[in-house]
Amino acid sequence: MTLDEAVRAYQEDGYEVTHVVESVCSGCGGRAFEVQLTGDQAVRRTCLGCGLKEFVADSDEFWDEDDAEECACTCGGEEFAAALGLSCLPDGEVRWVTVGLRCLACGLCGVYEDWKIDYSPSRHLLTRA
């Protein structure tokens, strides 16, 4: 299963994923990351190429450094390709986000976090993978 397929297959609360956007470092264009998450539905990725830390979707609003934990695959790998799945309403507003990761060591894909977006406008999240 590809990362895109894994993210689209996951439909929390019946929200169909309408867009999947691959994470790409805005600093160097890298596509390999270490990923941290918190218990407050926040995800931050660190580019393995240049070290730039970037938040996924609206995670910067909910980030708690003291609560952050490194993501790890069941194989023990801690380096990932990442993608953001978005469930959009017909008017283009985002209602749900899903963060999927593909382990670069073994290739296993899965959803690591998801959360509901309950505000508008939210279309800007389409560019925050």
Side-chain angles (χ1 to χ4, degrees):
M1 178 179 289
T2 67
L3 183 53
D4 185 276
E5 291 169 336
V7 171
R8 288 183 188 277
Y10 186 84
Q11 294 186 26
E12 184 66 27
D13 285 350
Y15 287 95
E16 178 184 356
V17 173
T18 56
H19 299 78
V20 176
V21 182
E22 183 181 0
S23 295
V24 177
C25 176
S26 66
C28 71
R31 296 170 190 262
F33 306 96
E34 289 181 341
V35 180
Q36 292 180 301
L37 22 110
T38 71
D40 293 325
Q41 301 171 325
V43 179
R44 182 175 70 184
R45 57 184 172 77
T46 303
C47 178
L48 294 175
C50 71
L52 181 65
K53 296 179 186 300
E54 295 180 283
F55 291 103
V56 175
D58 59 355
S59 294
D60 53 326
E61 297 176 30
F62 306 100
W63 188 255
D64 179 358
E65 189 71 38
D66 293 334
D67 193 28
E69 294 183 16
E70 293 290 329
C71 288
C73 179
T74 56
C75 78
E78 295 182 351
E79 298 179 352
F80 300 92
L84 179 63
L86 301 115
S87 301
C88 297
L89 297 171
D91 66 0
E93 295 298 329
V94 176
R95 284 296 146 240
W96 202 275
V97 296
T98 304
V99 179
L101 302 176
R102 179 177 50 81
C103 177
L104 297 179
C106 74
L108 183 65
C109 297
V111 169
Y112 280 69
E113 186 63 273
D114 68 300
W115 62 92
K116 186 173 185 178
I117 303 298
D118 58 3
Y119 59 85
S120 287
S122 58
R123 292 180 192 158
H124 67 284
L125 298 177
L126 288 162
T127 64
R128 303 274 321 259

